Amino acid sequence: MKKIVLGLAALGLAVSAAQAQTYPQRPITMIVPFAAGGPTDVIARIVGDHMSRTLGQQIVIENVAGAGGTTGITRAAQSQPDGYTIMMGHMGTHGAAPALYPSLKYDPTKDFAPIGLAAGTPIIIVAKKDFPAKDLKGFVDYMKANGEKVNMAHAGVGSVSHMTGIFFSSVIKTKPTMVTYRGTGPALNDLMANSVDYMTDQIVNVAPQIQGGTIKAFAIATPERSPALPNLPTTKEAGLDGFEVSAWNAVFAPKGTSPEIVKKLNDALVKALDDENTKKRLLDLGGVIPTGAERTPAALQKLVESEVARWTPVLKAAGATAE
Ligand code: MLT
């Protein structure tokens, strides 16, 4: 009996090695857990476009929005670990989510095969063009004076826009009214239409509108200014201490995906990040290109572990929870 079991196990290994050898044989689905047009979607389409060329198969983006990105990530985590379903996660879905969803159906540190970091995304405080403040100090004063009369847009509890919005509110001690969207793509449309007041969003989503003057930007929450928005002051320069945060987006596969397939996917991602045109598209939007050392699956695993540890106390202290 034992010989049969060993034989079957060896056969199974041989089959998966053969599958990995010929992978990919058909299009790959990349689940983006937010609505089309937002930062996660934009990054997925930019890197996915070049990854398709290296892999020789189309990477098809599937937007599965809801619950701050956890709906899409849950579906991706439960998909077959055959390399044909991957996902674009980020600091919210793979950092904040455990603190905000006690019954979360996945563990960011255990239920995935990390592929690699795709882009860093500094956070920017943006407001509708009609917002009655001309700089960050005026904005904060207005927020303090008007509390819940001010509406903050976000992409669902646990999204980057939500968690950084909570962080911002705890720093300036205000409690705005939250308005939930299926992504900050749709939220930005309402900001441009002056029908929601402000949000803290990833630079790759709002840079074109800031450059075009269709929305207001008060500051970027990083120690240095962004080359994509050289005239936008940092929060520190604008007089606000204690609010510095940069998000990140990264590619994951479900746990159990074979090391050979993980390597092929990581190789395609690294080639995309080294491609001049792909780099330019990300940099023009203010994205930050990961360094070589930051691009490995092991580096991403370490980042996820440290981010879950970092954000859990911050969000619990802010009393934020989805349930
Ligand atoms: C978020 O976390 O706010 C999302 O990245 C927004 C989006 O991608 O639509």
Side-chain angles (χ1 to χ4, degrees):
M1 182 56 184
K2 198 166 172 238
K3 277 200 180 116
I4 295 171
V5 171
L6 284 174
L8 285 174
L11 181 63
L13 281 173
V15 167
S16 69
Q19 279 165 345
Q21 217 113 51
T22 57
Y23 170 85
Q25 291 286 301
R26 54 187 163 81
I28 297 162
T29 297
M30 181 185 281
I31 289 182
V32 168
F34 295 97
T40 307
D41 185 68
V42 163
I43 291 169
R45 291 175 195 275
I46 290 174
V47 299
D49 180 32
H50 194 274
M51 288 176 71
S52 298
R53 279 182 246 152
T54 302
L55 293 164
Q57 288 289 346
Q58 196 57 34
I59 290 191
V60 179
I61 303 293
E62 185 181 348
N63 298 90
V64 181
T70 58
T71 302
I73 297 299
T74 300
R75 184 189 305 178
Q78 294 171 351
S79 61
Q80 280 301 314
D82 57 9
Y84 290 102
T85 303
I86 57 178
M87 71 206 86
M88 186 62 78
H90 68 14
M91 184 173 80
T93 61
H94 285 73
L100 298 167
Y101 292 94
S103 46
L104 190 63
K105 294 191 176 58
Y106 63 85
D107 177 340
T109 66
K110 295 195 176 73
D111 293 331
F112 300 90
I115 301 301
L117 202 53
T121 49
I123 295 301
I124 295 187
I125 305 165
V126 290
K128 64 185 183 183
K129 210 157 164 47
D130 295 353
F131 198 96
K134 61 177 178 23
D135 57 22
L136 184 58
K137 187 180 176 325
F139 176 68
V140 172
D141 291 347
Y142 185 92
M143 292 276 290
K144 286 176 182 290
N146 291 276
E148 61 191 18
K149 280 187 272 174
V150 188
N151 294 328
M152 178 194 109
H154 64 81
V157 174
S159 63
V160 162
S161 45
H162 173 263
M163 63 190 285
T164 56
I166 292 277
F167 178 27
F168 178 61
S169 297
S170 67
V171 167
I172 66 168
K173 298 180 179 48
T174 62
K175 271 214 179 301
T177 295
M178 305 273 200
V179 183
T180 305
Y181 291 81
R182 294 174 70 75
T184 51
L188 182 58
N189 292 337
D190 274 5
L191 203 68
M192 289 160 68
N194 283 299
S195 53
V196 73
D197 291 326
Y198 81 99
M199 65 180 173
T200 53
D201 195 16
Q202 298 170 75
I203 190 168
V204 296
N205 191 36
V206 295
Q209 281 67 32
I210 296 168
Q211 290 156 347
T214 54
I215 58 172
K216 268 181 185 172
F218 292 118
I220 185 167
T222 43
E224 308 295 329
R225 295 190 180 199
S226 166
L229 296 166
N231 302 325
L232 184 64
T234 66
T235 44
K236 209 168 179 63
E237 286 173 324
L240 178 66
D241 286 330
F243 184 61
E244 286 189 351
V245 57
S246 201
W248 45 270
N249 286 256
V251 182
F252 296 88
K255 179 174 64 177
T257 303
S258 77
E260 299 83 2
I261 289 177
V262 167
K263 187 174 178 337
K264 280 191 177 179
L265 288 167
N266 176 266
D267 176 54
L269 176 59
V270 168
K271 281 191 170 69
L273 296 175
D274 284 337
D275 170 63
E276 285 313 316
N277 177 48
T278 303
K279 260 197 305 200
K280 185 175 182 319
R281 291 172 72 188
L282 290 170
L283 291 171
D284 286 352
L285 292 172
V288 177
I289 308 293
T291 62
E294 292 172 330
R295 296 177 183 183
T296 66
L300 179 54
Q301 178 63 29
K302 276 210 184 72
L303 176 66
V304 168
E305 288 167 2
S306 63
E307 288 286 80
V308 170
R310 169 168 79 124
W311 284 103
T312 298
V314 171
L315 294 165
K316 286 198 185 301
T321 174
E323 296 162 351

